[in-house]
Amino acid sequence: MPPWTQLDLLTELEPVVGRELNRHLRAAREWFPHEYVPWSDGRNFDGVLGGDAWDPSQSRVSEVARTALVVNLLTEDNLPSYHRDIYESFGTDGAWGTWIGRWTAEEGRHGIAIRDYLLTTRAVDPVTLERERMVHMTQGFASPYDLDMLHTVAYVSFQELATRISHRNTGRYTEDPVCEQLLARIAQDENLHMVFYRNVLQAALELAPDETMRAICDVVSTFQMPGNTIEGFTRRSVQIAMAGIYDLRIHHDEVLMPVLRQLRVFEREELSGDGESARAELVDFLAGLDNAATRFTEQRDARRARAAARR
Ligand SMILES: [Fe+2]
Ligand SMILES: [Fe+2]
């Protein structure tokens, strides 16, 4: 069989996208971000309306929780960049285009809702937040691979689950029930997005097993969180990992492995040539990641024990 062209793959998978879109529309329940925001906790800020300036003492969440919330919000804020990427990868023909519109509209409410919550409750510095948003959105999101459909579908399958877990764990970490409830609701959206992309990825594996396995291997072995271009991301992601909100162990056990198992990546028999090599590389990579995750959690445990002993 001749190698697949992008157009062939998009055309062949369009009926699958249509089916998944309909399944998504049946499963997704309408919800309203404004219902999740405690508006009566809010008041005017200084500046144009002459209210009170922000002060860290007003925040009811910890500094680490603020870091995670800001990273999650800036990640959601960068939606125009992701929209451009998936538009370029999928095109707008038929169900692909309808999905892109729907997905973008659902993602749009995540940033809206988190910002409304953060500003109403005075959880973070609004001036710093706005300046960071300007820098981050101006820079945009840079995909580490070509924007072909297979790599993009593989990336978003893992990324949606990563954001789901990150929102859910951030919500719990804040110990603010209002915030936890909001982020749990957003996490439900991310879960449905993951299911959509994972089901499309599964159909791609059945249609073009070798090419899809290569894309999965490329994506897993170079995976970066979508917010990785946020200024100071490395420092902040260390804080987030040390808090157990999102770390290598979670990434391996709760993001990569569940998707790979659901796709039966390790059992598939229809691979040949480069597909086989890609799977072997993937297995090696995962073993290395698993070891690194174990080392990280051991070091973190030791550090926590030392800190507890000092107290
Ligand atoms: Fe989102
Ligand atoms: Fe999503």
Side-chain angles (χ1 to χ4, degrees), residues 124-139:
V124 301
D125 182 346
V127 174
T128 307
L129 180 65
E130 175 60 7
R131 287 181 179 150
E132 289 204 293
R133 188 189 66 81
M134 288 296 293
V135 170
H136 184 51
M137 283 189 77
T138 303
Q139 181 170 334

Side-chain angles (χ1 to χ4, degrees), residues 69-84 103-104 107-116 118-119 124 126 128-141 163 167 190 226-227 229-230:
L69 285 163
V70 167
V71 166
N72 289 11
L73 173 54
L74 292 175
T75 302
E76 295 287 352
D77 277 340
N78 226 4
L79 178 59
S81 221
Y82 316 137
H83 176 91
R84 280 198 299 273
W103 175 84
T104 305
E107 289 293 350
R109 66 188 165 205
H110 299 167
I112 292 169
I114 298 172
R115 175 167 285 95
D116 285 346
L118 291 180
L119 297 183
V124 301
T128 307
L129 180 65
E130 175 60 7
R131 287 181 179 150
E132 289 204 293
R133 188 189 66 81
M134 288 296 293
V135 170
H136 184 51
M137 283 189 77
T138 303
Q139 181 170 334
F141 171 77
T163 16
H167 282 312
E190 310 295 22
T229 54
I230 294 169

